[in-house]
Amino acid sequence: GWSIHAIDVFTGEAVWDMMGCTTPYAIADGYLVAGNAYNGYVYGYGKGLSETTVTAPDVAVPKGTALTIKGTVLDLSPAQPGTPCVSKDSMDTQMEYLHMQMPIGGLWGDEIITGVPVTLTAIDQDGNYVDIGTTTTDGYYGAFGLSWTPTEEGTYKIIASFEGDESYGSSGAATFVSVGPAPSPGPQGEPGPQG
């Protein structure tokens, strides 16, 4: 079948391709507008917007207790809003699945869609930064989760950041988590009742 191919003009390397008998109409400001004779649609190719969300427990967590920070990184492009942002290596498979009725595992069933990196940072009440870590979203759902064990009491602002890439613009989100005192030990070194 026919495909449209984007090639790096300086290196000659393939950047991406998309199946379909495509006729380019115009290129401006980093976007290509083209019609597809296979399905009659006009597509806009270019960098899409992204949206990051983040949540943390709504109740205070005792100091030294692990908590899970979770959220999503989703594509806000007009043709597929609310779908997962995916890695550069998965973009061809994702777009052909969403727009060309191809199987989610690729034509031969041998493709795995991977997500994008998200960096998590905590800022304490005194403005000190804590690097929680970087995780990768699930390529099929856009969700991420990372465990963190706070070592100090207080209220933390948790920031999730997706720096963007060649396919998506950057996005970020913030939430808050409260960390209370650690449980006091009972009479024989056992944790006592909390309250």
Side-chain angles (χ1 to χ4, degrees):
W2 290 79
S3 293
I4 185 171
H5 297 270
I7 299 169
D8 186 311
V9 70
F10 297 108
T11 66
E13 293 181 16
V15 179
W16 57 265
D17 65 78
M18 181 78 164
M19 70 182 328
C21 182
T22 306
T23 304
Y25 297 149
I27 300 174
D29 298 326
Y31 291 89
L32 163 68
V33 178
N36 187 325
Y38 280 3
N39 58 21
Y41 287 111
V42 174
Y43 291 92
Y45 299 88
K47 186 179 277 197
L49 298 175
S50 68
E51 177 184 53
T52 298
T53 65
V54 64
T55 62
D58 290 332
V59 297
V61 176
K63 181 173 84 171
T65 302
L67 60 97
T68 301
I69 301 164
K70 51 192 171 182
T72 58
V73 181
L74 301 178
D75 188 341
L76 292 185
S77 300
Q80 64 265 348
T83 58
C85 286
V86 299
S87 68
K88 178 182 176 182
D89 293 339
S90 298
M91 186 59 65
D92 291 351
T93 304
Q94 173 81 334
M95 292 299 109
E96 290 179 354
Y97 166 70
L98 292 174
H99 300 291
M100 300 296 164
Q101 295 76 46
M102 294 298 292
I104 197 165
L107 182 60
W108 309 112
D110 60 350
E111 301 289 334
I112 296 174
I113 296 177
T114 56
V116 295
V118 181
T119 301
L120 297 171
T121 307
I123 304 173
D124 70 16
Q125 300 167 142
D126 299 323
N128 300 312
Y129 283 73
V130 178
D131 179 20
I132 297 172
T134 299
T135 187
T136 301
T137 62
D138 182 283
Y140 298 95
Y141 301 101
F144 66 86
L146 190 63
S147 180
W148 176 52
T149 305
T151 58
E152 300 295 331
E153 295 178 36
T155 300
Y156 291 85
K157 179 195 285 186
I158 308 295
I159 301 171
S161 302
F162 167 51
E163 71 178 31
D165 57 21
E166 295 171 355
S167 302
Y168 305 103
S170 62
S171 60
T175 190
F176 291 86
V177 65
S178 295
V179 179
S184 56
Q188 299 174 352
E190 299 286 328
Q194 299 178 15

